[in-house]
Amino acid sequence: MYAIVEIAGKQFKVTQDQFIYAPLMEGEAGASVEFDKVLLLDDNGTVEIGVPTVSGAKVSGKILDHVKGDTVIVFKKKRRKGYKKKNGHRQRFTKVLIEGISK
């Protein structure tokens, strides 16, 4: 059984007991969360497609930790002008354990 869920504007394909890195969410480590924007639900071959969401379907999870992603380097240069800029960015994520998918 799997589901496609919208979390903070992004879509994730989730199954039970799976870890996902979602954009930073409110809540402390150990808190329970529920996602009700289920776009597609597959239960062993029977597929339900939402219009736009599947009514009554929910995905429950648990926040494990708030982490930072890898460093992305932003480098700007204009040739022959002596202009160079180097910046780095680390996106913040929330690690979520998917505990169950219910219909």
Side-chain angles (χ1 to χ4, degrees), residues 33-62:
V33 290
E34 271 195 356
F35 308 110
D36 56 352
K37 289 188 176 181
V38 178
L39 305 174
L40 183 135
L41 188 63
D42 182 6
D43 188 12
N44 298 325
T46 58
V47 178
E48 282 189 54
I49 299 174
V51 186
T53 59
V54 178
S55 61
K58 292 187 189 240
V59 174
S60 60
K62 184 168 121 180

Side-chain angles (χ1 to χ4, degrees), residues 11-103:
Q11 295 178 7
F12 296 92
K13 179 181 176 183
V14 296
T15 58
Q16 192 168 356
D17 299 326
Q18 176 187 6
F19 298 104
I20 61 168
Y21 290 94
L24 187 67
M25 295 189 292
E26 301 267 334
E28 297 182 13
S32 296
V33 290
E34 271 195 356
F35 308 110
D36 56 352
K37 289 188 176 181
V38 178
L39 305 174
L40 183 135
L41 188 63
D42 182 6
D43 188 12
N44 298 325
T46 58
V47 178
E48 282 189 54
I49 299 174
V51 186
T53 59
V54 178
S55 61
K58 292 187 189 240
V59 174
S60 60
K62 184 168 121 180
I63 295 176
L64 297 179
D65 199 10
H66 298 288
V67 295
K68 285 186 175 182
D70 295 334
T71 304
V72 177
I73 301 298
V74 180
F75 184 74
K76 298 178 182 180
K77 178 184 177 182
K78 294 189 180 178
R79 62 184 195 161
R80 296 187 300 270
K81 305 297 181 196
Y83 173 79
K84 291 182 189 176
K85 283 272 192 215
K86 182 178 177 183
N87 287 321
H89 175 74
R90 290 185 72 185
Q91 189 71 35
R92 296 175 66 196
F93 296 103
T94 301
K95 186 175 181 181
V96 179
L97 170 66
I98 302 299
E99 293 179 328
I101 301 170
S102 63
K103 182 175 175 190

